[in-house]
Amino acid sequence: QDDQGRDAGHEQAVLDGGGAALVGGGTPEQADSLGQLFETFGTAFQIVDDVLNLRGFEENRKHRGEDITAGKITAPVAKAMGLLARDQRCELVAILAAKPADWASILRAVALIDGCGALEACEREARDLIESAWAQAEPLIPDSYFKVRLRAFCWFILDRNY
């Protein structure tokens, strides 16, 4: 997804979450908080999806490393660029620029990204984003079935494997 599409999706999530709160009789503070929570859902979901793309999906529902083959700069790639030594950064950039289809190149890119701790760092970032947004929204949401479902959705985003 291009940056414009991603930005539009985030804006839509904020509007949907905030709009739903207002339509449901919520306060403007609840609307803002839910809008931010929904935006965070989208960001964290994408980060986790980027990590799964490099680790592999349950039952091979998608091809492992397809983001490497497409030459995409994903969250783990961006994180790796801040953690890798210069020569490894150059190697990773060259692999991505080549948009490789061969398994050896894809696995080398994954090894560079995983070896520097970028995948774990991305998982921590997604978890921190969700937990921070939840901590702000949770006190504003009345105890209810809806609240339990929202919390469960937070865990789904973080713990999914497909």
Side-chain angles (χ1 to χ4, degrees):
Q1 186 174 23
D2 63 17
D3 289 337
Q4 275 187 324
R6 192 170 284 180
D7 289 343
H10 286 265
E11 290 170 7
Q12 188 65 45
V14 172
L15 292 174
D16 288 349
L22 289 174
V23 168
T27 67
E29 185 181 23
Q30 288 171 320
D32 288 344
S33 184
L34 280 177
Q36 291 307 311
L37 181 63
F38 282 32
E39 180 178 8
T40 300
F41 285 167
T43 301
F45 189 95
Q46 187 59 55
I47 292 169
V48 170
D49 192 67
D50 291 347
V51 169
L52 286 172
N53 182 272
L54 299 178
R55 288 214 168 121
F57 294 87
E58 183 180 85
E59 299 176 12
N60 294 319
R61 291 185 177 157
K62 288 185 178 179
H63 296 289
R64 181 177 181 210
E66 65 186 19
D67 288 345
I68 301 296
T69 300
K72 290 183 180 179
I73 305 298
T74 61
V77 170
K79 189 74 73 180
M81 290 299 172
L83 297 170
L84 290 169
R86 185 180 191 286
D87 61 325
Q88 292 172 318
R89 287 193 309 267
C90 291
E91 182 182 0
L92 182 56
V93 167
I95 293 170
L96 291 170
K99 297 182 178 181
D102 67 288
W103 194 234
S105 296
I106 293 167
L107 288 178
R108 177 60 185 152
V110 171
L112 286 167
I113 295 165
D114 194 19
C116 71
L119 295 180
E120 290 84 8
C122 285
E123 288 174 328
R124 277 192 310 276
E125 180 181 1
R127 188 164 303 281
D128 291 347
L129 285 168
I130 290 283
E131 293 304 328
S132 176
W134 178 254
Q136 291 180 359
E138 191 271 334
L140 301 174
I141 305 168
D143 290 341
S144 62
Y145 179 70
F146 172 74
K147 184 175 187 174
V148 172
R149 298 277 308 237
L150 268 180
R151 187 59 175 144
F153 190 65
C154 293
W155 295 323
F156 163 76
I157 290 169
L158 297 171
D159 297 331
R160 72 190 184 94
N161 52 19
Y162 58 90

